[in-house]
Amino acid sequence: MSYFVRIKDARSVRRRILESSKEMLYALKGHYQMLELRDQKRETAEALRSTLSELGELAAKLQSLLPAESLKEIEQYLPKKRKQKSSKKESKKAGEEKNSAEKDKSKPSETPMSEMERLEKALANIEERLSKL
Amino acid sequence: METPLFVKIERYKELTDVLDQIDAKIKEATTQLEKLKRVKESEDAQIAAWEGNLRDLKERSHELHENLFQ
């Protein structure tokens, strides 16, 4: 069954329909712009990840170029006054470190760690060293 | 009084080179992060534009309803 509908202002209706089409086309255009932006974001995030990874390698290299001994280990070469202060702690810590090193050695070889686990372990290691300073 | 402490650093030149490389990489990472922030801002702007598009469409659809069915 068909109905005939009276349109009061045909010109205005046409205008509204055209404007709606225009809006929809803008929205679709935005969709393609969004896809481009996501590509850019993915590429930039990947580049940033790579740079941070290189920074990590450089930090490791820097560490290898610096003296291996910690400040507390170096203190034993200083005059006695300073040595005595830290000697007790040093011997205790050295003993603990030795024990932990022995424990680590005795552990069976584990499955390869994921990148996330490796980073978490490295972070924990740094935190531990920072707390000792 | 604090006793001065001298630490021997082997391969000093290499060490300064690595420090320079680290500085360069930090600059690179900063630039990349800025770019990432700009892209994210563009994404947010696009989402806001979509919101505007939909609001306008809703308004026009309402006007059409009024024109055609009332």
Side-chain angles (χ1 to χ4, degrees):
Chain A
M1 197 190 290
S2 301
Y3 290 97
F4 291 92
V5 179
R6 180 176 166 246
I7 298 170
K8 284 181 215 163
D9 186 357
R11 200 188 173 97
S12 165
V13 169
R14 277 203 199 98
R15 178 182 287 277
R16 294 281 176 263
I17 291 172
L18 282 174
E19 281 172 351
S20 300
S21 301
K22 201 173 97 179
E23 285 292 334
M24 277 189 267
L25 287 174
Y26 271 127
L28 274 173
K29 201 176 149 196
H31 168 71
Y32 288 104
Q33 280 170 348
M34 189 61 123
L35 288 181
E36 269 178 36
L37 285 171
R38 284 194 177 159
D39 277 349
Q40 270 184 42
K41 197 166 88 171
R42 190 173 38 76
E43 280 166 20
T44 312
E46 180 55 35
L48 182 62
R49 192 201 61 78
S50 165
T51 308
L52 290 175
S53 166
E54 282 169 26
L55 258 174
E57 282 167 22
L58 283 170
K61 195 173 173 185
L62 182 71
Q63 207 174 12
S64 73
L65 290 169
L66 288 169
E69 290 82 7
S70 69
L71 193 58
K72 284 192 176 169
E73 283 167 330
I74 290 168
E75 274 176 353
Q76 65 182 299
Y77 302 112
L78 293 176
K80 272 190 175 179
K81 257 191 175 179
R82 292 188 69 180
K83 190 185 164 187
Q84 280 172 347
K85 276 183 187 175
S86 57
S87 62
K88 279 185 181 177
K89 284 180 185 174
E90 274 300 304
S91 60
K92 197 181 174 186
K93 280 193 177 171
E96 281 172 6
E97 279 171 11
K98 202 179 171 186
N99 284 341
S100 66
E102 279 170 5
K103 276 180 191 173
D104 286 344
K105 276 182 187 174
S106 63
K107 276 183 188 173
S109 61
E110 292 166 359
T111 53
M113 286 186 289
S114 72
E115 184 68 8
M116 192 71 172
E117 285 169 334
R118 196 183 64 76
L119 289 174
E120 273 172 10
K121 197 174 175 185
L123 270 174
N125 181 26
I126 288 170
E127 289 289 345
E128 193 189 327
R129 287 169 65 186
L130 278 172
S131 67
K132 281 179 187 170
L133 283 177
Chain B
M1 191 180 142
E2 287 278 318
T3 317
L5 181 67
F6 294 91
V7 179
K8 184 185 175 190
I9 296 176
E10 311 268 358
R11 300 189 290 174
Y12 181 76
K13 176 75 177 72
E14 203 179 328
L15 183 84
T16 54
D17 285 348
V18 170
L19 279 172
D20 286 344
Q21 284 175 44
I22 286 176
D23 280 349
K25 285 287 162 198
I26 288 172
K27 269 185 191 166
E28 202 179 318
T30 309
T31 311
Q32 287 162 342
L33 197 62
E34 284 300 320
K35 191 181 172 188
L36 208 56
K37 273 166 78 178
R38 281 199 302 276
V39 173
K40 194 178 170 289
E41 279 165 12
S42 303
E43 272 186 351
D44 289 345
Q46 185 57 61
I47 289 170
W50 274 336
E51 272 184 341
N53 285 147
L54 282 176
R55 206 173 30 245
D56 288 351
L57 277 169
K58 199 174 168 183
E59 220 170 87
R60 296 215 171 95
S61 165
H62 184 68
E63 284 168 7
L64 279 171
H65 268 274
E66 278 186 348
N67 255 309
L68 290 172
F69 306 115
Q70 282 181 7

